[in-house]
DNA sequence: ATATATTGGATATATTTTATCCTTGATATT
DNA sequence: AATATCAAGGATAAAATATATCCAATATAT
């Protein structure tokens, strides 16, 4: 019962991208180096975020990734689902239908959903709702507050040395 | 990102045990047969529920398992955590501390929790709360309603043929 | 042309989940 | 006392996922 480690990677990467000037991009290499991550594997997660239309890729020299939408319009749920998938946490395999008694003449009863399944789904909905009501903007606010001024300046310079500018796509 | 399949097994088993007369037990074999599950593997999950003090084991002939507490006093969260563990869904590996910039002189800043970590923990708390506020009694009510009368009677007879009585422990 | 990027498929490795087996100890029954 | 039935728990084994790398293909600024 756990989310893939890539979720933490993805959340941190989009947070960094959210702090960039409009239109600017960062390549995989920079994002991986900044967080101390495997470049090739991070690339997979960035692809997933691209397919989910959360970030956008700019190929070629001076290319990289940038946000496709405003941080206010990107929910944490989208990011989590892009990387970790959309399958439910709780997997109901309908074991109520598997016993020696179940099979016969009770198809009728099984049109009603299993009470256990319903209860677990209720909790899962609460989780998804909580992720849906927090946006990337909410996180970035806290994210940049944490750092002390000196550290933040060093970070900004490090970033600006690696920044790319690229024209907006169609 | 998914819970172990054993969670569904455990929830269904304790629901069955909750419907038994006071003091009565069912052996692993019967629980496995009723749900169409592997007996040896189900045994592992029942052990976990025993260690979590949700159910109780009675060794020896005519032994088996029974609830250790009233269904009203057993939350779904307890059952889920007994089988699937208590580790958080989201694993923060502190990647913010791993980059080339992070290591130096910023230990101060890292005493504050990471904003991403906090946001994910908030959603997780919503999930746990939703599981905590639903008890086994809530489920059993729905569980037994689903079955039509004829089916329910067949089920009751099947169970009563396999029921065990055993004295309460100290 | 060339160098820098992403894309996506193929593949390898590590870890976790699922499952079985077997020995030990407890306890009703005979 | 002997026997049969049951859970407990350790040691593996097998299967499924998660993690990670590599490479050929494509796009594009210079
Ligand atoms: S049958 Fe799947 S949760 Fe009840
Ligand atoms: S460092 Fe782990 S979530 Fe930010």
């Amino acid at each position: 019962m756990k989310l893939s480690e890539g979720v933490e990677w993805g959340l941190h990467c989009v947070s960094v991208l959210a702090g960039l000037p409009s239109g600017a991009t960062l390549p995989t290499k920079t994002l991986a180096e900044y967080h101390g991550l495997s470049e090739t594997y991070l690339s997979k997660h960035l692809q997933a975020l691209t397919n989910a239309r959360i970030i956008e890729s700019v190929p070629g020299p001076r290319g990289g990734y940038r946000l496709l939408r405003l941080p206010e319009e990107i929910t944490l749920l989208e990011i989590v689902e892009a990387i970790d998938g959309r399958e439910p946490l709780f997997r109901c395999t309908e074991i109520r239908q598997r016993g020696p008694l179940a099979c016969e003449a009770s198809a009728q009863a099984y049109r009603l959903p299993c009470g256990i399944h319903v209860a677990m789904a209720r909790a899962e909905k609460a989780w998804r709702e909580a992720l849906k009501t927090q946006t990337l903007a909410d996180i970035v606010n806290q994210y940049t507050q944490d750092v002390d001024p000196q550290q933040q300046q060093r970070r900004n310079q490090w970033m600006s040395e690696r920044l790319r500018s690229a024209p907006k796509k169609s």
Side-chain angles (χ1 to χ4, degrees), chain A:
Chain A
M1 175 181 65
K2 51 182 194 281
L3 284 83
S4 120
E5 213 171 329
V7 171
E8 187 185 11
W9 300 15
L11 286 167
H12 272 268
C13 285
V14 293
S15 297
V16 167
L17 294 179
L20 262 43
S22 174
T25 69
L26 285 178
T28 308
K29 182 176 179 177
T30 302
L31 287 169
E33 191 185 355
Y34 179 74
H35 292 109
L37 305 174
S38 147
E39 184 182 338
T40 54
Y41 191 33
L42 176 61
S43 161
K44 288 297 179 200
H45 296 311
L46 296 174
Q47 277 178 48
L49 289 166
T50 305
N51 292 333
R53 301 190 55 75
I54 292 166
I55 63 178
E56 181 182 43
S57 69
V58 178
R62 309 196 63 68
Y65 288 100
R66 67 184 158 208
L67 287 195
L68 188 55
R69 283 175 276 153
L70 292 175
E72 291 79 13
E73 292 163 347
I74 299 174
T75 69
L76 297 199
L77 181 60
E78 285 181 277
I79 299 168
V80 169
E81 287 191 336
I83 292 174
D84 217 72
R86 283 151 194 84
E87 296 104 49
L89 294 181
F90 176 78
R91 294 167 292 171
C92 169
T93 62
E94 289 288 337
I95 66 172
R96 62 178 179 166
Q97 295 189 38
R98 282 161 53 179
L101 293 178
C103 317
E104 355 152 0
S106 45
Q108 177 88 359
Y110 297 136
R111 272 190 267 158
L112 284 156
C114 171
I116 289 171
H117 189 168
V118 170
M120 294 302 292
R122 189 176 301 160
E124 205 162 317
K125 190 178 176 188
W127 181 67
R128 293 201 141 80
E129 280 301 318
L131 287 177
K132 206 176 196 170
T133 53
Q134 299 183 89
T135 71
L136 185 52
D138 299 329
I139 282 205
V140 171
N141 289 341
Q142 246 191 320
Y143 190 75
T144 47
Q145 274 172 7
D146 289 358
V147 192
D148 73 293
Q150 222 179 30
Q151 175 73 4
Q152 183 158 2
Q153 186 178 345
R154 208 161 43 209
R155 173 180 171 277
N156 285 345
Q157 182 174 353
W158 191 91
M159 282 293 172
S160 67
E161 285 166 6
R162 289 158 179 82
L163 260 190
R164 313 293 178 80
S165 309
K168 289 277 183 190
K169 280 186 184 172
S170 63

